[in-house]
Every structure is written in C-alpha cells, then in structure tokens.
Amino acid sequence: MPTRKPISRRDFVYQAGLTGLALPFSHSKLFTPTVKNKKDKLGIALVGLGGYATHQLAPALLETEHCYLAGIVTGTPSKIPDWKEKYKIPDANIYNYENFDTIRDNKDIDIVYVVLPNSMHAEFTIRAAKAGKHVICEKPMALTVEECDKMIKACKDANVQLGIGYRLHYEPFNQEMVRLGTQKVYGNIEKLNAGFAFTIGDPKQWRLKKAMSGGGPLQDIGIYCIQGICYTTGMEPVAVRATEGPKKDMEKFKEVEESLTWEFDMPNGLIAKGKCSYSESYNFLRAEAAKGTFELSPAYNYGGIQGKTPDGAMNFPRVNQQARQMDAMTEAIKKGEKIRTGGEMGKRDVKLINAVYEAMHTGKTISLV
Ligand code: NAD
C-alpha cells in the first residue's frame, strides 16, 4: 500500500488576502461598552506562540481594522526577539505563563487570545478573565463541559466577553451554506455529509497526547464538521451514533483515535453524517436538498474554499478569515454587543464531541436531549 507523505497543518491550508466584504451580523446589546474612545484599536495579547499564532493570527493582526497585536505571552524566551522586532512589541507587554496574571495592570491589553494546547484553554481563559480582560479562546473551547461552565462563569463574573475562534462564521462560502440551508433555498436538506482529514506528521506532538488534546482528529478537525452540520441546518442534533475507524498505526495513535465516523439524528429526522481522520485526505461539506446539491470542497481551509450549487459555482472574494474573525469580535466588544461565536456555542460543541466519543466507545446511540 502506498504511504502518504505526512503533511503539516500549514500544507493543507493557506492564507488568502483580506477584502472588505461585510457579512450581515445580528447582535443583541448585552454588554456595557468597555472602550472609552481612548484609542481606535483594541490591543490583543496572544498566549502561546505556536503554529497558528505565528503563521495565521499575528500576520492577520497586521490587517485588522479594530485590533492590533499589543502583547505576547510565551513560555519560550528564545521566541521573544523575533516577535518584538516584527511586531514592535514593547518589553512591558511581554509575559510568561508565571507572571501572566499581572497583565491585569496593563492598559494596552484589552483582549487575551488563548492559542495553547486544548487542555490549557480553561486555565488561561479563566486567568485572563480574572485579570479583567476579554478573552478569545481557540477551538475546541475545552475538554469538558464542566470546564466550559467555569470559563463562562469566570467571564460573566468579570463582565468580560468570551469568543471562540470559529473563523468560518466570518467566511463568505461557509456563510452561504448557512443561507442556502437555513432558508431552504433548494428545499429541505435530505442528506448532509461533512468530512475533514489530513495526514498528521510528528508522532510526538501534543495533538496525539490525550491529556493535552482530549482526543484525536475529532477534537482538532472533526469539530469543523460538527459546526458545519449545525450551521447549515440551523439545528442541533438530538442523538448520535459513532464508530472508530481501524488503527493502521498503533504506535502513533496509542492514545487517540486515528479516524472515526458518526451520525447525528437531527430534530427533523435528517441523519447528518460526519467523518474525520489523521491518516487520510478529504475536506467537504455537502448538502443534498430536494431541489439539488450545494456543497463546499475544500470547505474548511484558511483560503481556497470552493463551492457549487445547482445554479453554478459560488463566487465570493477571498478573505483573511482570521482578520475578519478578530475584527468582528473586537467590533462587538467595542459596541458592547455579544460576540456571536461565544462560550455557549463552544460549550455546545464540547458536549457534542464528548457524546460522539461516548457513542464510539459504547457502541450505543447517545441521546443529546
Ligand atoms: P502548536 O503546537 O503549533 O502551538 C502550541 C503552543 O503552545 C506552542 O507555542 C507551545 O510552546 C505552547 N505550549 C505551552 N505549553 C505547552 C505544552 N505543555 N505542550 C505543548 N505546547 C505547549 O499548536 P497550534 O496549531 O498553534 O494550536 C494551538 C491551538 O490553536 C489549539 O487549541 C488548536 O486547536 C487551535 N488551532 C486553531 C486553528 C483554527 O483554524 N481556528 C488552527 C490551528 C490551531
């Protein structure tokens, strides 16, 4: 059997340029605005300077209209000189994991963006909230629903906002799937399939260590399929069945699944199917509706998303998803409006992920209601 060359996350996604396309956002006034016109842009501090922070978020912060990279929090001092120079970050805005809590005294930092391994999201979100900062936390929000509850409570108690880094809610092709699905433009969806897979490299990375990741591809990329199913239908599943795929590499996948498939029972009777893998290659979101199929493939990359409908190819400008996401979140914070991909959505997905795992381990249908 031919072996596939392991690819890094950077190989299967690429960054696209920013355009000014605006999406319709609906907000409710829930928060008291915390900005007093002291400056036009809010300052973001990135916590964890790994691949996503380095190659996507920091460059995107050079393109954002409402926020900028004001600070960094890192456990690796050797990274500091490059970041300082590239992003003109003053020494006073550079923290490590130990002195991080003193960020509360730093007026330059309005928002803390947690980009650490999954198991560290809860701790740093809660510490950031206690320091009085708004928080953006990467997906998956946490490993357990209990952690999510604590994160939501910490933010509520501190009267700060919590946003989850669901960048595809700020991306026009995926938002078109929302419109076509929820407005039933091609009638009722009769079949819905979502899948995301890539071949993971380094066998020693935290993504393959259950205590840090919470699990395998479901936590990392299957979550996009869960999201796609929920936003394309506008519904949340009521039950789930799941099956683990065969493990071809027992050593690499000693602690986490290599691949898995699942079926969500949706409230209207639709069975939505998802699959994900760390040893294959696919990337799609496909809805077969009464009057034809609409789909994205690739669906979840940072750029290069392509879509088609019964009426032809989807045509939207390429956007910088991370810049759009951070701008939309910052704008909501500035206006005192609720971030639309907030902690409750993150918690819902953590609940769904854990239900998929329970179904996978028990072989039973797990009720979600
Ligand atoms: P990464 O491995 O490249 O970076 C992780 C960072 O955490 C590194 O800087 C590392 O030094 C630091 N770290 C601190 N303590 C650590 C420890 N005990 N073990 C390992 N690393 C430790 O990971 P990444 O790809 O940047 O992912 C970080 C987070 O961002 C994850 O939660 C991931 O799911 C999320 N992410 C989201 C997207 C997206 O498109 N929204 C894309 C990639 C990653």
Side-chain angles (χ1 to χ4, degrees):
M1 207 163 112
T3 52
R4 215 185 296 271
K5 181 175 161 284
I7 57 167
S8 73
R9 294 182 60 87
R10 287 186 70 201
D11 290 335
F12 77 90
V13 285
Y14 71 85
Q15 180 142 356
L18 180 73
T19 74
L21 183 82
L23 286 174
F25 296 158
S26 65
H27 294 299
S28 54
K29 289 256 180 200
L30 287 178
F31 288 82
T32 314
T34 52
V35 190
K36 300 172 199 76
N37 293 330
K38 59 179 183 193
K39 60 189 177 209
D40 292 337
K41 291 189 175 190
L42 297 193
I44 292 190
L46 293 174
V47 188
L49 308 180
Y52 193 54
T54 305
H55 302 296
Q56 265 69 47
L57 296 175
L61 281 163
L62 295 173
E63 302 194 29
T64 38
E65 216 181 300
H66 298 287
C67 49
Y68 73 104
L69 181 56
I72 49 175
V73 184
T74 178
T76 315
S78 59
K79 291 180 182 169
I80 294 172
D82 279 354
W83 280 75
K84 259 181 74 169
E85 191 191 318
K86 192 161 182 194
Y87 296 102
K88 309 283 173 262
I89 300 170
D91 287 333
N93 294 1
I94 299 174
Y95 296 86
N96 56 44
Y97 301 133
E98 287 72 42
N99 68 14
F100 168 65
D101 308 273
T102 63
I103 207 165
R104 75 163 58 81
D105 303 319
N106 192 326
K107 300 268 180 288
D108 289 351
I109 312 293
D110 302 285
I111 301 167
V112 165
Y113 196 149
V114 180
V115 208
L116 290 163
N118 306 344
S119 61
M120 300 170 79
H121 290 182
E123 178 192 338
F124 279 84
T125 296
I126 292 167
R127 285 171 69 181
K130 286 190 171 159
K133 306 299 177 185
H134 299 286
V135 192
I136 305 175
C137 176
E138 259 315 318
K139 43 57 60 176
M141 178 171 164
L143 302 190
T144 65
V145 168
E146 290 71 29
E147 282 182 334
C148 295
D149 281 332
K150 288 183 187 156
M151 294 158 82
I152 291 168
K153 183 174 184 309
C155 291
K156 191 163 177 265
D157 289 350
N159 193 28
V160 295
Q161 288 229 43
L162 173 57
I164 309 300
Y166 287 135
R167 57 185 164 78
L168 295 175
H169 285 255
Y170 308 91
E171 188 286 315
F173 287 83
N174 279 270
Q175 289 309 290
E176 180 66 353
M177 292 297 281
V178 175
R179 188 183 75 84
L180 297 176
T182 58
Q183 296 184 16
K184 301 188 194 302
V185 173
Y186 297 106
N188 282 328
I189 296 174
E190 293 169 350
K191 287 185 185 168
L192 185 60
N193 283 272
F196 195 177
F198 73 100
T199 305
I200 200 160
D202 180 9
K204 294 198 174 69
Q205 63 185 288
W206 66 263
R207 283 187 163 81
L208 298 169
K209 296 191 168 63
K210 189 158 189 258
M212 301 221 74
S213 58
L218 182 62
Q219 294 278 8
D220 191 23
I221 49 178
I223 189 170
Y224 289 96
C225 305
I226 291 178
Q227 277 266 314
I229 289 168
C230 292
Y231 57 64
T232 304
T233 58
M235 292 186 282
E236 294 179 14
V238 292
V240 60
R241 289 168 295 285
T243 311
E244 184 169 7
K247 280 192 188 182
K248 287 169 264 173
D249 188 334
M250 291 300 282
E251 192 50 35
K252 201 180 207 178
F253 300 106
K254 200 163 48 186
E255 296 188 22
V256 301
E257 79 279 5
E258 180 173 338
S259 56
L260 70 84
T261 58
W262 73 92
E263 285 183 358
F264 280 142
D265 291 338
M266 305 306 282
N268 65 348
L270 171 71
I271 296 174
K273 296 184 181 179
K275 63 176 184 171
C276 58
S277 172
Y278 269 161
S279 59
E280 293 177 71
S281 180
Y282 48 77
N283 187 324
F284 64 90
L285 176 59
R286 182 168 53 250
E288 295 172 50
K291 290 186 243 165
T293 296
F294 53 99
E295 62 188 313
L296 303 181
S297 182
Y300 314 109
N301 289 353
Y302 302 147
I305 294 175
Q306 299 201 26
K308 59 182 180 199
T309 75
D311 296 312
M314 290 183 197
N315 185 13
F316 295 104
R318 299 276 158 86
V319 300
N320 182 318
Q321 297 172 15
Q322 288 79 12
R324 291 274 301 260
Q325 174 211 308
M326 290 187 282
D327 261 340
M329 289 178 166
T330 310
E331 209 182 355
I333 289 169
K334 279 183 180 176
K335 291 182 176 167
E337 296 172 345
K338 199 168 177 358
I339 292 174
R340 61 199 183 90
T341 53
E344 290 299 333
M345 181 184 280
K347 173 179 153 180
R348 175 201 72 189
D349 294 346
V350 169
K351 180 179 162 196
L352 293 177
I353 285 170
N354 285 319
V356 173
Y357 281 134
E358 190 184 345
M360 182 185 97
H361 289 306
T362 60
K364 292 184 178 155
T365 298
I366 303 300
S367 171
L368 288 155
V369 287

